[in-house]
Amino acid sequence: MHQARAAVVAEIETELVTVVASAVQAVRNAIPVYRNLHGPQLADVEAIAYWSLRRLMTLWAGGDPAIDERDHSRFRAIGAARAADGRPLADVLRAYRVASSVFVRHVATEYLDALDPPDIADLSLGVLDAIDAISEEIIGAYIVAREQLTSNRAQAHALLLDDLLAGRHNSPGAVADRARELDLELPSHPNLLVVEPTSVARSLTDDTVESLVLALGLAPPDRTTPSTQRSHLCTRREQRAILLLPSEIGRAHVDVASRATGVRGCLVERSTIAGVSSAWRLASEALDTAPDHAFDDRAVLDTGDGQLLALLTARPTADTSEVVRTVLGSLTEAANAHILEGLSAFIATGTATAAATQLHVHPQTLRYRLRRAQELTGRDPRSAWHRLALDTALQLRQLG
């Protein structure tokens, strides 16, 4: 044990939170794929930084630069994990170099008077040796894991969607690279569909999911298809299936397919790849909380229903402006002001005749406006659930 080094290590241990924070911030500043990390992913990076720096300090203080088999095993696990979440290999290796340089610079700047030149030299050489060993293990494990992932395309496609749902992809480039490896052409603004059995007494079988995918005009996960035709993904969460769909597959098509296969669901349209995780939460929470009568005239809820339910259940993510936008849609455009006026009067008075009297128009004119409102929003104001959605959106619009 080198006494001077041990004393420095003891001092650094007391400020390790700050040192690690500086190292992680340097990584995020230097490497684009790390900039948007948050939640569990950021905590994972911080935990690895803590462990790596502590291990490096232990080796340096003891004068033993060699990492042992446990270290090798841990870095192999890290390499496999990064392969699974799709983080580019070059960025992973660069992150270790950036973090290590922050640590060495900190020691050389703050503790130069307490150390001799050989101490700083040994630390620098130890870091280089460790990065070399780390790189070898991570590269080897990363390549093996990627080969395993891509050998079973159906499983690999499901794993990619699992990662998107969990928010483990924060870089468009990383997603594009992984999609390219898997012969996918993912839409830039996909629709996300979450479905479940129409009755709790029924189970969602793989055959049901396959029937739904076929009814949507797509190839099931285990079917061979030209890469130019596969632009969708599918995975499972217990009694729910989640499908990432091309944007051209809209709610009307999805509703027909869902009815035909005995499922009901929620479709969040025109998300972004980065927003898939949020879309999944919105759709899943909508299915958790939607009353049965929300499905009276259809099998599939839409984004407006999800936003309304988030508001009604006081979700932290509830956004009143999104309720207005997704429920009323084009009714808020100036060209449709008369239709919005007719709808508002109908909801306020309860009948077309009373609404027509209030607006000084013929009842048939008012009924025409209601039909146009239903065509533009997909909501029948005579339905209890749709009336609630429309009334809520109208009130929020007036308040806003």
Side-chain angles (χ1 to χ4, degrees):
M1 176 72 71
H2 296 253
Q3 295 301 320
R5 297 183 191 181
V8 167
V9 167
E11 286 291 325
I12 293 176
E13 185 66 36
T14 66
E15 58 184 10
L16 196 57
V17 171
T18 302
V19 176
V20 168
S22 297
V24 171
Q25 189 58 50
V27 169
R28 299 180 75 180
N29 290 340
I31 307 172
V33 74
Y34 283 84
R35 285 176 190 162
N36 295 321
L37 290 183
H38 62 279
Q41 304 134 334
L42 182 57
D44 183 47
V45 171
E46 290 172 342
I48 292 173
Y50 272 110
W51 173 77
S52 300
L53 292 181
R54 277 200 172 105
R55 189 72 183 108
L56 185 59
M57 287 192 299
T58 299
L59 294 172
W60 175 61
D64 180 10
I67 63 176
D68 60 24
E69 180 53 35
R70 287 177 301 175
D71 301 322
H72 285 278
S73 178
R74 179 146 189 176
F75 284 114
R76 284 195 293 271
I78 290 171
R82 296 295 76 79
D85 66 26
R87 212 167 296 166
L89 180 57
D91 289 338
V92 173
L93 299 178
R94 188 181 175 200
Y96 283 95
R97 295 195 297 271
V98 171
S100 298
S101 68
V102 170
F103 175 63
V104 172
R105 191 174 296 111
H106 178 77
V107 173
T109 301
E110 300 297 325
Y111 299 99
L112 187 60
D113 293 341
L115 298 169
D116 293 326
D119 294 319
I120 302 296
D122 282 352
L123 177 61
S124 301
L125 291 173
V127 166
L128 291 174
D129 289 341
I131 288 178
D132 185 57
I134 288 169
S135 299
E136 185 175 348
E137 295 296 353
I138 288 180
I139 291 171
Y142 188 101
I143 291 172
V144 170
R146 294 305 293 167
E147 289 176 348
Q148 291 174 343
L149 285 171
T150 55
S151 62
N152 183 333
R153 288 304 169 94
Q155 180 184 15
H157 292 169
L159 286 172
L160 173 55
L161 183 50
D162 287 337
D163 286 342
L164 293 174
L165 297 178
R168 283 193 286 267
H169 282 296
N170 293 282
S171 164
V175 176
D177 288 344
R178 192 162 172 190
R180 198 159 39 245
E181 290 178 358
L182 300 175
D183 294 328
L184 292 168
E185 292 187 1
L186 298 182
S188 59
H189 290 83
N191 293 342
L192 187 81
L193 173 65
V194 182
V195 297
E196 64 183 12
T198 53
S199 168
V200 294
R202 296 182 56 194
S203 62
L204 187 68
T205 65
D206 289 341
D207 287 342
T208 301
V209 176
E210 179 170 324
S211 296
L212 174 63
V213 173
L214 288 170
L216 292 170
L218 303 170
D222 58 349
R223 301 285 181 85
T224 300
T225 183
S227 61
T228 54
Q229 294 181 15
R230 186 168 293 282
S231 56
H232 62 283
L233 298 171
C234 180
T235 190
R236 293 284 300 270
R237 289 287 189 283
E238 297 179 350
Q239 288 302 302
R240 286 177 179 164
I242 304 98
L243 292 85
L244 191 76
L245 303 173
S247 57
E248 59 266 23
I249 299 181
R251 197 180 70 80
H253 189 178
V254 171
D255 193 81
V256 171
S258 297
R259 290 173 185 269
T261 50
V263 298
R264 68 183 191 179
C266 182
L267 181 73
V268 179
E269 296 185 83
R270 294 197 63 77
S271 175
T272 62
I273 292 296
V276 166
S277 179
S278 297
W280 148 247
R281 287 194 299 273
L282 183 71
S284 182
E285 290 169 358
L287 292 179
D288 288 340
T289 56
D292 287 338
H293 69 272
F295 294 95
D296 280 351
D297 61 344
R298 58 193 173 155
V300 179
L301 305 178
D302 61 20
T303 309
D305 297 302
Q307 294 290 351
L308 175 64
L309 286 161
L311 179 67
L312 295 177
T313 55
R315 300 280 181 183
T317 55
D319 185 337
T320 55
S321 63
E322 278 298 289
V323 175
V324 175
R325 185 187 69 81
T326 56
V327 171
L328 296 180
S330 62
L331 285 187
T332 59
E333 297 174 2
N336 294 323
H338 62 297
I339 300 175
L340 187 66
E341 180 185 50
L343 176 64
S344 299
F346 174 79
I347 290 178
T349 62
T351 68
T353 302
T357 299
Q358 178 178 304
L359 297 179
H360 307 291
V361 299
H362 194 279
Q364 282 300 104
T365 300
L366 196 287
R367 292 188 181 95
Y368 167 76
R369 293 182 184 181
L370 292 180
R371 286 197 299 273
R372 285 293 295 146
Q374 183 174 350
E375 290 170 359
L376 293 173
T377 64
R379 299 183 184 279
D380 183 349
R382 296 167 298 180
S383 160
W385 176 256
H386 292 316
R387 187 187 183 104
L388 171 64
L390 292 166
D391 193 11
T392 302
L394 288 169
Q395 298 306 316
L396 290 173
R397 185 170 184 266
Q398 290 180 358
L399 293 172

